[in-house]
Amino acid sequence: MANERQQRAERAEQMRKEREKAGRRQRNLISIAIVVVVIGLIALGAWAVKNAMDPGPAPTLVAPKNTTDDFGIVYDEAPAGSDPVSVELYEDFQCPICVIFEHQSSGVLAEMVESGEITITYRPFSFLDEFGGSPNRYSHRATNVALCALDQGGVADYVKVHDYLFTNQPEERTKGPADAELIKAVAGLGITGIDSCVESERFMPWVDEAMKAGEKRGVEGTPTVFVDGQQLENPMDVTSLPQAIKAAQKG
């Protein structure tokens, strides 16, 4: 009888030890699971923060055909062997002062290009969207439309769209025409087939880089005009541009 009681006690003790061992094993597994979950949450949080801070891959910069490496569009009718004066125009299609400049000077400049006296390098400088010039990014979108025309048809088509956009400029700080309206408008100029280019905003990264290039050169606003590499102090003075061109021709 005593041996039987002793055996039962030993079995009970053995079972107790096994339960304790199983309990410790379970607690260890739970602890490991908690650590794994915590590490996972930390890693997930770090990934989320990194993604929030990381702007992602830069937009692909595609240069329109018929542009220069320094973000220019050259309008040149000079015969071979001539030495035309270089006129560079930094303009924003949403800029009301640029409309005045174009009204004062575009006719004379066009005649001088056709006669071979000058070349015009258009340098888009679409900065007014950042200063509330348009609630629907008209400055950038209009420039993209002109570049789509340039890419497909060349400088003559760019000039057509350039002149149209300034003639039909929306009031500053108002919504400009939507892309579909701009596509329809340039179709009236005989320029078609640019729908996907306009709608995909294909040249927007180029527009931004063109503005950065202008800023590096010291351009702060529009219109900004360079004649023979020298910046005009007051391009809105109707006499300053012709005088600068004549001085460059002489010198």
Side-chain angles (χ1 to χ4, degrees), residues 155-174:
V155 176
D157 280 356
Y158 177 87
V159 173
K160 285 182 187 178
V161 177
H162 168 278
D163 294 349
Y164 171 85
L165 291 172
F166 277 125
T167 301
N168 297 275
Q169 185 186 85
E171 185 177 346
E172 194 175 15
R173 300 186 184 280
T174 65

Side-chain angles (χ1 to χ4, degrees), residues 10-38:
E10 288 175 354
R11 285 198 298 270
E13 178 65 17
Q14 183 64 29
M15 291 175 63
R16 184 185 67 78
K17 290 180 178 179
E18 289 177 356
R19 284 197 299 270
E20 287 182 354
K21 186 177 180 181
R24 286 195 298 272
R25 186 183 302 114
Q26 185 176 15
R27 288 193 296 274
N28 288 339
L29 290 174
I30 291 172
S31 298
I32 292 171
I34 291 172
V35 170
V36 169
V37 169
V38 170

Side-chain angles (χ1 to χ4, degrees), residues 125-199:
F125 193 76
S126 303
F127 76 109
L128 285 172
D129 286 339
E130 297 180 6
F131 294 92
S134 168
N136 66 346
R137 298 168 62 244
Y138 176 77
S139 171
H140 276 70
R141 292 188 302 104
T143 303
N144 183 64
V145 170
L147 294 174
C148 289
L150 171 71
D151 183 71
Q152 178 174 277
V155 176
D157 280 356
Y158 177 87
V159 173
K160 285 182 187 178
V161 177
H162 168 278
D163 294 349
Y164 171 85
L165 291 172
F166 277 125
T167 301
N168 297 275
Q169 185 186 85
E171 185 177 346
E172 194 175 15
R173 300 186 184 280
T174 65
K175 286 188 176 181
D179 288 344
E181 296 175 74
L182 291 170
I183 291 169
K184 183 178 179 181
V186 298
L189 304 174
I191 300 169
T192 58
I194 63 171
D195 303 36
S196 62
C197 177
V198 173
E199 292 164 357

Side-chain angles (χ1 to χ4, degrees), residues 27-242:
R27 288 193 296 274
N28 288 339
L29 290 174
I30 291 172
S31 298
I32 292 171
I34 291 172
V35 170
V36 169
V37 169
V38 170
I39 292 173
L41 289 173
I42 292 172
L44 180 62
W47 178 83
V49 170
K50 180 179 183 298
N51 277 344
M53 298 177 65
D54 187 356
T60 302
L61 179 64
V62 180
K65 295 175 186 174
N66 308 300
T67 56
T68 64
D69 292 340
D70 61 349
F71 303 97
I73 299 113
V74 180
Y75 180 25
D76 181 6
E77 298 289 342
S82 60
D83 187 22
V85 173
S86 168
V87 176
E88 300 170 78
L89 305 180
Y90 286 86
E91 298 174 309
D92 185 320
F93 287 121
Q94 185 62 28
C95 165
I97 303 176
C98 294
V99 172
I100 299 172
F101 173 82
E102 285 291 326
H103 179 72
Q104 292 177 170
S105 306
S106 62
V108 173
L109 291 177
E111 290 177 2
M112 297 181 80
V113 170
E114 291 173 6
S115 68
E117 296 178 76
I118 67 170
T119 62
I120 296 177
T121 300
Y122 297 101
R123 297 193 181 279
F125 193 76
S126 303
F127 76 109
L128 285 172
D129 286 339
E130 297 180 6
F131 294 92
S134 168
N136 66 346
R137 298 168 62 244
Y138 176 77
S139 171
H140 276 70
R141 292 188 302 104
T143 303
N144 183 64
V145 170
L147 294 174
C148 289
L150 171 71
D151 183 71
Q152 178 174 277
V155 176
D157 280 356
Y158 177 87
V159 173
K160 285 182 187 178
V161 177
H162 168 278
D163 294 349
Y164 171 85
L165 291 172
F166 277 125
T167 301
N168 297 275
Q169 185 186 85
E171 185 177 346
E172 194 175 15
R173 300 186 184 280
T174 65
K175 286 188 176 181
D179 288 344
E181 296 175 74
L182 291 170
I183 291 169
K184 183 178 179 181
V186 298
L189 304 174
I191 300 169
T192 58
I194 63 171
D195 303 36
S196 62
C197 177
V198 173
E199 292 164 357
S200 66
E201 300 187 343
R202 184 179 185 195
F203 297 120
M204 288 297 194
W206 189 94
V207 174
D208 289 333
E209 291 302 313
M211 188 175 74
K212 291 177 185 177
E215 290 173 339
K216 288 179 180 178
R217 196 178 182 184
V219 176
E220 297 179 345
T222 55
T224 296
V225 181
F226 288 82
V227 175
D228 205 25
Q230 299 297 314
Q231 184 175 345
L232 292 187
E233 291 186 6
N234 184 11
M236 299 309 295
D237 178 354
V238 294
T239 63
S240 66
L241 181 54

